[in-house]
Amino acid sequence: QMPAHLDLGVNQRLSSQWTVSADLSQVFWKDVMKDIKVNFVHDGGLGDLNILLPQDYKDQTILALGTAYQLNDQLTLRGGLRFATQALRSSTLFAVIPATPKTHLSAGLTYALSKQSSLDFAYSHAFEESMSNTSLPNTSAPIQVKHSQDNATLNYRYSF
């Protein structure tokens, strides 16, 4: 299940070439990430598994700031920052769900090949964060999870 969310955004054109924007979001994780349910039924009926892994997520607040600058008719440059609160509680940390990155930086560009087509490139970096638990309920011993992430996309767009 994906959580409900509420978004509020503003966009301001500072000049004919430069715009800035800000979005504030509230993501309602608490309603959809109470537990992870794991079920397994063995063919012979022996060793069936039916457990709940508590997650008890908190709702999350996200602030995203962005800017775009149109350098010329062909090239637009973009940049952004994203700051979020942590939705996962350290006490229910589960190693395969490292929901720790809270700060992201992004950059991108659009290059217009014609009035109808363009190339878009975007890069984002989630800064490394770590989180620890003291053991139970989701691990038998204390663990520490570190997570950072890089993403890049290249897109060709044709409008008709």
Side-chain angles (χ1 to χ4, degrees), residues 2-17:
M2 292 302 295
H5 58 92
L6 178 64
D7 301 308
L8 175 64
V10 294
N11 187 339
Q12 178 65 46
R13 183 172 292 274
L14 300 177
S15 72
S16 62
Q17 297 170 292

Side-chain angles (χ1 to χ4, degrees), residues 14-59:
L14 300 177
S15 72
S16 62
Q17 297 170 292
W18 190 15
T19 59
V20 293
S21 61
D23 293 323
L24 185 62
S25 301
Q26 185 71 19
V27 183
F28 300 99
W29 286 109
K30 182 178 164 184
D31 298 330
V32 297
M33 285 297 288
K34 176 80 174 129
D35 300 306
I36 295 175
K37 298 171 184 159
V38 180
N39 294 308
F40 174 77
V41 177
H42 186 271
D43 283 343
L46 299 173
D48 291 353
L49 181 66
N50 187 8
I51 60 173
L52 292 177
L53 299 169
Q55 291 298 284
D56 199 23
Y57 271 41
K58 299 178 281 187
D59 290 341

Side-chain angles (χ1 to χ4, degrees), residues 83-149:
F83 306 97
T85 58
Q86 182 60 258
L88 181 63
R89 299 173 192 273
S90 62
S91 61
T92 57
L93 179 63
F94 190 47
V96 298
I97 306 176
T100 55
K102 298 182 300 186
T103 305
H104 296 74
L105 176 68
S106 63
L109 60 89
T110 296
Y111 186 80
L113 300 169
S114 70
K115 287 186 178 189
Q116 295 173 306
S117 65
S118 64
L119 282 174
D120 299 302
F121 173 77
Y123 167 78
S124 67
H125 175 72
F127 291 94
E128 183 177 289
E129 298 210 27
S130 64
M131 182 179 273
S132 303
N133 74 4
T134 55
S135 72
L136 298 173
N138 292 337
T139 60
S140 59
I143 63 170
Q144 181 180 32
V145 173
K146 291 182 182 180
H147 184 193
S148 67
Q149 189 167 331

